[in-house]
Amino acid sequence: MLQGIHHVTAITGDAAANVRFYAGVLGLRLVKTTVNHDEPGTYHLYYGDEGGRPRTLITFFEVPGAAPGQPGGGMFHSVAWRVADQPALDFWEQHLAAHDTVVNRGDDRLAFADPEGLSHVLIARGTRDDDSPANGNGVPPEHALREIIGVEAMSLAPERSRAALVGGLGMADLGESLVVGSGDHVGRVGLHPEPMSRGAQGAGTIHHVAFVSPDADHKKWRERLTGGHLAPTQVVDRIYFKSVYAREPGGLLVEVATVGPGMAVDEDPEVMGIALALPPWLEPHRTSIEARLTPIHNPRTHG
Ligand code: ZN
């Protein structure tokens, strides 16, 4: 069984503003500053909890100056996070408003969008012993964003998506939502029941969602996707995990990623995210890559 949502990857047109919001305002840790392996002159920024663990990661491909996208068919949208309790929601209601972010408070949740329009919802769902909230830039750890517990899916063909996500990825079918994982490691994929017209990928939209595979099961998941006629990619080495990708028939790009080796594989856990991390094959080009990247300011370098 897959074990929850490994990471969500979205697109930003403004890396500096993205760091200001996700590290500066949301208080996540910028756990890895690296480049898009396919476009090494642009960032791939990873945010997460203090350890940068799977299930806490939201990552962004930088597409400098990208026009705002429009969520629609074939795309995931909206990221649901677990926070502790009502006092955490009270904190976020005030903190986000103080940072010019419009919030919408419900009984057990608080919705808002990032500066590029990517929607989030914080849901009061308690704490767990193994939570390691980021030591985040003025966000008290007890109120921190703890884990990604859901995403919404807008499909071009919802029933075909349902069949693919249940048959190919082993999700449990609860009707309006699909559940990936069980027990402590569970995520929810809300499936909009009507076919949606195609969206436009751009700033503030989600590129893909990855699900957690135990390392030992990863090859089997690729075989299962192949058997389900989902045409997965080869296993790709993403340095911090290994991945396979597949675009299911409703247009959603999904990924199955390993737990290991993890974000600390190439940096000291104390300082990871501060320096630019490059994969070995790009290390010879470090100087020219660094010259092309726009400056960002990680709050950790100033404290
Ligand atoms: Zn990914």
Side-chain angles (χ1 to χ4, degrees):
M1 186 180 283
L2 296 175
Q3 299 183 338
I5 295 167
H6 188 290
H7 63 267
V8 171
T9 293
I11 294 172
T12 178
D14 185 342
N18 188 259
V19 175
R20 281 199 298 275
F21 189 76
Y22 283 88
V25 177
L26 294 189
L28 295 168
R29 181 174 181 185
L30 177 57
V31 290
K32 194 64 61 181
T33 301
T34 185
V35 295
N36 183 336
H37 290 178
D38 302 317
E39 289 285 343
T42 62
Y43 286 113
H44 189 184
L45 302 171
Y46 289 68
Y47 305 89
D49 73 356
E50 193 62 22
R53 300 176 307 160
R55 287 181 286 271
T56 74
L57 298 170
I58 183 165
T59 92
F60 288 86
F61 292 135
E62 178 201 20
V63 180
Q70 178 62 49
M75 293 165 67
F76 292 97
H77 78 116
S78 192
V79 183
W81 298 83
R82 176 168 58 86
V83 297
D85 48 20
Q86 292 288 342
L89 296 178
D90 295 342
F91 168 81
W92 285 107
E93 187 169 10
Q94 293 179 12
H95 184 75
L96 288 164
H99 289 86
D100 304 319
T101 302
V102 175
V103 299
N104 187 351
R105 177 87 182 248
D107 285 346
D108 67 342
R109 61 195 61 206
L110 182 75
F112 62 95
D114 84 359
E116 296 182 303
L118 176 58
S119 52
H120 294 269
V121 57
L122 310 183
I123 306 180
R125 283 285 183 277
T127 61
R128 285 213 301 265
D129 288 347
D130 65 347
D131 284 347
S132 66
N135 178 17
N137 200 43
V139 175
E142 65 269 28
H143 299 328
L145 278 56
R146 292 167 180 272
E147 182 182 39
I148 294 175
I149 57 172
V151 289
E152 300 296 318
M154 296 191 295
S155 173
L156 299 166
E159 291 315 308
R160 297 186 70 194
S161 293
R162 183 188 306 280
L165 296 173
V166 172
L169 289 175
M171 295 185 190
D173 187 355
L174 299 188
E176 287 184 1
S177 62
L178 307 173
V179 173
V180 54
S182 64
D184 280 352
H185 298 319
V186 66
R188 174 189 170 278
V189 177
L191 184 60
H192 194 281
E194 303 297 327
M196 305 288 284
S197 55
R198 193 174 284 282
Q201 197 89 77
T205 62
I206 292 175
H207 186 267
H208 66 266
V209 172
F211 302 97
V212 178
S213 165
D215 294 6
D217 295 349
H218 198 236
K219 282 202 176 72
K220 277 183 268 178
W221 278 108
R222 185 172 182 283
E223 289 162 14
R224 182 163 171 172
L225 289 167
T226 304
H229 305 291
L230 288 170
T233 63
Q234 295 297 318
V235 174
V236 182
D237 183 1
R238 292 305 187 200
I239 306 295
Y240 312 108
F241 40 83
K242 289 190 166 48
S243 293
V244 296
Y245 301 83
R247 193 172 295 278
E248 58 78 44
L252 303 162
L253 183 59
V254 296
E255 173 183 352
V256 176
T258 57
V259 176
M263 303 306 290
V265 69
D266 62 349
E267 291 185 286
D268 183 328
E270 294 291 311
V271 297
M272 64 185 186
I274 292 172
L276 180 69
L278 293 175
W281 62 91
L282 292 175
E283 199 56 63
H285 309 291
R286 174 175 285 272
T287 305
S288 66
I289 290 171
E290 286 183 337
R292 289 162 64 192
L293 293 170
T294 44
I296 55 174
H297 295 285
N298 183 344
R300 294 253 169 154
T301 60
H302 303 288

